[in-house]
Amino acid sequence: YKAYEGVLTALNQVYFIKVQKKTDDNMLIITNPPESGQKKKVKKIENYKIEPDLIYPLIRGRDIKKWYIDFKERYIILPHDKEGNPIPHHIMKTKYPYTYQYFYQFFNDLINRSGGFLKQKMAPYKKYPFDKAEKMTVPFYYVMNNVKASLSPYKVVWKEITGSFACAVVKPIDEKPVVPDHKLMLVKAESPDEAYYIAGVLNSVIVRSIIESYTCVMERDTHILDFIKVPKFDPNNNLHKKIAELSKKAHELAKCIYSNNKPDYCKNIDAKEELKKVEDEIDLAVAELYGISKEELEGFRELMNILSGK
């Protein structure tokens, strides 16, 4: 498997939005509230009508816990197609005129975004008339990193900066893929089962102890899958299916622990205790996957306790 960074806008306060309501003609009314920690102020837009097509649910580092995604009703406007390519100006103007006009209000902010690669891409807009510049470079609302991977329906994500490595499965919300920002790393999956399998392996004590052994809290990025070789998911492999099912159960139990709107199945169970049992089963299954004995598995658990200060 290969890991990717989530999308990098270099100006979140333009791209990250809240949806206020849906109109009778299936348009959306949005606003762009200030982002915490933002270094640059941009104009705040209120009650702006926009097409829904390029608006996707957004998750950020703060939204991720082990086995759990806390979606906070934040969205991103992503002006790229399903293949990750930026939508040209002429298509945006005709197919998504409200979206185009929204971005054009921030034209000067967008062409002055920082970052070496992006600065180079935006340079023609500062030197030449618009009609000439747009033929020389990418659209002025272009975003970076692997957009195609970020738009995959099923993925596993983890935080780049985190005290202890933990990942979770991301599935579509209201039939739209959820987009991670650049502080999240992601692995694409072809199906929910494959995503649960990958998360099960990565959240096992074996893998987490290895990650904790060679990284610091600032370095949990894409290289993890260069060192952790996760066998490709085989839907006909009973052990792979078992890891996927246990991982799915762990995600369900995590909802009982973290969600404000707990499912009915959370009643009358000790979710933390049940999750610990499921995690123990996952560790045994992943040990079998890698040919690790029960005695050696205990060594990994002891190592994890040392690394986590227990």
Side-chain angles (χ1 to χ4, degrees):
Y1 290 100
K2 179 176 174 59
Y4 304 88
E5 292 181 359
V7 298
L8 173 61
T9 70
L11 197 61
N12 290 345
Q13 49 270 49
V14 170
Y15 294 84
F16 292 3
I17 60 163
K18 279 194 172 182
V19 175
Q20 295 170 300
K21 64 179 179 179
K22 182 183 280 189
T23 65
D24 293 338
D25 56 352
N26 288 321
M27 299 282 275
L28 298 178
I29 304 299
I30 66 164
T31 182
N32 62 327
E35 286 295 311
S36 59
Q38 69 183 41
K39 296 177 182 177
K40 183 177 180 180
K41 287 186 178 181
V42 301
K43 179 172 63 174
K44 185 178 179 183
I45 305 295
E46 294 278 7
N47 301 314
Y48 185 83
K49 186 177 181 180
I50 197 169
E51 299 90 357
D53 306 57
L54 304 178
I55 294 178
Y56 299 89
L58 169 74
I59 52 171
R60 296 163 291 179
R62 70 196 75 169
D63 304 328
I64 309 301
K65 293 182 173 66
K66 190 179 182 187
W67 310 116
Y68 183 72
I69 304 291
D70 184 15
F71 175 58
K72 295 187 173 73
E73 299 292 334
R74 294 304 295 271
Y75 294 83
I76 181 172
I77 309 176
L78 199 56
H80 289 234
D81 63 24
K82 296 291 190 286
E83 293 301 309
N85 303 308
I87 299 171
H89 292 141
H90 69 278
I91 295 178
M92 284 285 280
K93 288 176 184 177
T94 54
K95 194 172 181 180
Y96 311 112
Y98 290 97
T99 305
Y100 180 84
Q101 188 56 42
Y102 172 83
F103 281 120
Y104 195 75
Q105 295 176 79
F106 301 103
F107 178 76
N108 287 326
D109 297 303
L110 292 171
I111 67 171
N112 285 294
R113 284 177 286 171
S114 59
F117 177 78
L118 194 54
K119 199 171 182 179
Q120 180 185 355
K121 289 289 186 185
M122 296 294 114
Y125 292 108
K126 301 175 189 177
K127 294 180 182 178
Y128 305 105
F130 185 90
D131 58 347
K132 183 177 180 180
E134 69 175 340
K135 295 182 176 115
M136 300 170 64
T137 189
V138 296
F140 65 90
Y141 39 72
Y142 170 83
V143 304
M144 293 186 288
N145 292 356
N146 198 305
V147 177
K148 183 177 180 180
S150 296
L151 286 172
S152 58
Y154 304 103
K155 44 199 166 265
V156 177
V157 299
W158 65 86
K159 291 188 257 188
E160 176 190 27
I161 301 172
T162 178
S164 181
F165 175 86
C167 67
V169 169
V170 181
K171 297 189 292 184
I173 293 176
D174 296 330
E175 300 183 357
K176 297 200 81 168
V178 176
V179 174
D181 81 350
H182 74 287
K183 293 296 184 182
L184 287 173
M185 309 298 115
L186 68 104
V187 186
K188 296 187 296 181
E190 298 298 321
S191 67
D193 283 349
E194 183 175 28
Y196 284 124
Y197 161 78
I198 296 168
V201 175
L202 293 181
N203 270 340
S204 70
V205 71
I206 294 165
V207 171
R208 290 174 66 238
S209 64
I210 293 168
I211 293 169
E212 297 292 333
S213 294
Y214 87 93
T215 64
C216 72
V217 295
M218 306 290 284
E219 290 184 348
R220 280 29 180 303
D221 54 35
T222 58
H223 58 70
I224 281 172
L225 287 188
D226 295 333
F227 297 104
I228 305 296
K229 302 300 183 183
V230 180
K232 190 72 175 174
F233 177 68
D234 180 357
N236 297 312
N237 182 306
N238 286 333
L239 181 58
H240 291 194
K241 289 194 289 185
K242 180 180 181 180
I243 293 170
E245 282 301 313
L246 288 168
S247 173
K248 184 178 181 180
K249 191 171 182 181
H251 280 80
E252 290 169 350
L253 288 167
K255 289 179 185 176
C256 300
I257 298 169
Y258 300 118
S259 177
N260 291 325
N261 187 20
K262 301 186 190 307
D264 289 340
Y265 60 75
C266 299
K267 296 175 182 176
N268 303 318
I269 65 167
D270 184 338
K272 288 185 178 179
E273 188 60 35
E274 290 299 314
L275 180 56
K276 186 178 182 305
K277 291 176 185 176
V278 171
E279 288 180 330
D280 287 344
E281 290 185 69
I282 289 171
D283 290 342
L284 285 168
V286 174
E288 184 180 345
L289 180 74
Y290 286 116
I292 291 168
S293 69
K294 289 185 179 180
E295 291 75 16
E296 290 166 335
L297 175 60
E298 288 307 313
F300 278 103
R301 286 174 171 158
E302 183 180 352
L303 173 61
M304 190 66 198
N305 284 335
I306 293 168
L307 293 168
S308 60
K310 293 179 182 178

